[in-house]
Amino acid sequence: MTKRVALLAVFALSCQQATTSPSAQVLGLRDMARVGEFLFITSAERDELRVLDLVTGDTSAPRRFVRAPNPIQALSIPVIRRPTVVTSDVYYDGKREVGGPYVYATDSAVAQIAIVWGEDRDGVRGYTELTRLNTIAPVTAIAARGAAPTGEGVPVHAAMYFATSGEAAASIFRIALPQPEQLTTGQRVESLVRLVAVRSGEAVVSMVAMPNGALAIATKKTA
């Protein structure tokens, strides 16, 4: 009787293992952002982003990294040095959260934000860094929101917010970028930045773009 129970347990375990999808291997995973069926991943080991396809249609490989032009290598999107934070435009379609089209990568020790086109609609600029936004100080938090889809049914960019740390105060900025098709590679966008708020004696540690244009922030005292 005991052997029969043991065999049944082994059989059940093997069935569960057979239906479990294999996991993707990422070294030094720090952050993720989803755009449609793709997950943008930042690794502390690399100066790049990787893109994981979550819906491949292949039962033997239900998820896998998007391939580079060389089919034996995973796609690499070069960005700033050792990015630890990645986020995307977020649009709320009712209760459903939709990401894209822009993806942003940064690090708390860097006064730059990499702006990446997170879709591959035209087969030319997709999954590439379009430009870098130079900031006045290291970025401590970032959030972005999208807007209602266009006639193609794809959400568009609305605004990106970022916070920087100073000696006595934190500053929150807003930038509205041109649509991806209108933003040329390497285009300078610093002139589009606008100051939103200043928090004296505080540091902004996190931000979330909420529905209806609201921005939630979390702060901590610097004293």
Side-chain angles (χ1 to χ4, degrees):
M1 182 67 179
T2 302
K3 289 184 179 181
R4 179 177 296 178
V5 172
L7 287 173
L8 288 173
V10 171
F11 176 75
L13 180 60
S14 64
C15 290
Q16 292 174 359
Q17 291 176 338
T19 58
T20 300
S21 301
S23 60
Q25 300 298 319
V26 182
L27 296 176
L29 176 63
R30 297 299 299 270
D31 204 1
M32 301 178 291
R34 182 167 180 170
V35 178
E37 298 175 352
F38 298 92
L39 197 64
F40 288 75
I41 298 171
T42 176
S43 168
E45 305 294 324
R46 302 174 181 273
D47 305 340
E48 64 188 22
L49 300 181
R50 292 290 180 89
V51 184
L52 186 66
D53 187 353
L54 301 176
V55 184
T56 65
D58 184 352
T59 56
S60 63
R63 51 183 175 267
R64 61 182 168 219
F65 286 105
V66 173
R67 295 298 179 186
N70 179 350
I72 66 173
Q73 293 181 333
L75 175 69
S76 167
I77 306 175
V79 288
I80 62 172
R81 184 178 183 275
R82 299 292 193 272
T84 57
V85 176
V86 62
T87 190
S88 68
D89 293 333
V90 175
Y91 167 70
Y92 293 92
D93 182 9
K95 295 183 179 180
R96 186 172 66 103
E97 182 180 295
V98 183
Y102 282 126
V103 173
Y104 312 90
T106 189
D107 179 77
S108 59
V110 177
Q112 280 188 325
I113 300 172
I115 300 174
V116 174
W117 194 5
E119 296 180 345
D120 192 19
R121 280 182 264 165
D122 64 2
V124 177
R125 289 164 294 184
Y127 307 143
T128 58
E129 181 189 62
L130 296 180
T131 187
R132 292 186 187 182
L133 172 64
N134 296 306
T135 60
I136 62 171
V139 178
T140 60
I142 187 170
R145 59 184 175 86
T150 61
E152 299 177 355
V154 179
V156 296
H157 168 77
M160 185 264 282
Y161 302 87
F162 63 93
T164 61
S165 60
E167 294 182 358
S171 300
I172 301 175
F173 299 91
R174 176 186 186 274
I175 181 172
L177 295 164
Q179 299 309 320
E181 297 86 348
Q182 301 167 347
L183 185 62
T184 58
T185 301
Q187 179 179 341
R188 298 297 296 269
V189 293
E190 285 79 8
S191 63
L192 302 176
V193 174
R194 299 290 182 267
L195 180 65
V196 173
V198 175
R199 307 281 299 189
S200 299
E202 295 180 331
V204 179
V205 296
S206 183
M207 298 193 297
V208 178
M210 304 293 288
N212 301 319
L215 182 69
I217 66 173
T219 65
K220 69 176 181 179
K221 296 292 185 181
T222 55

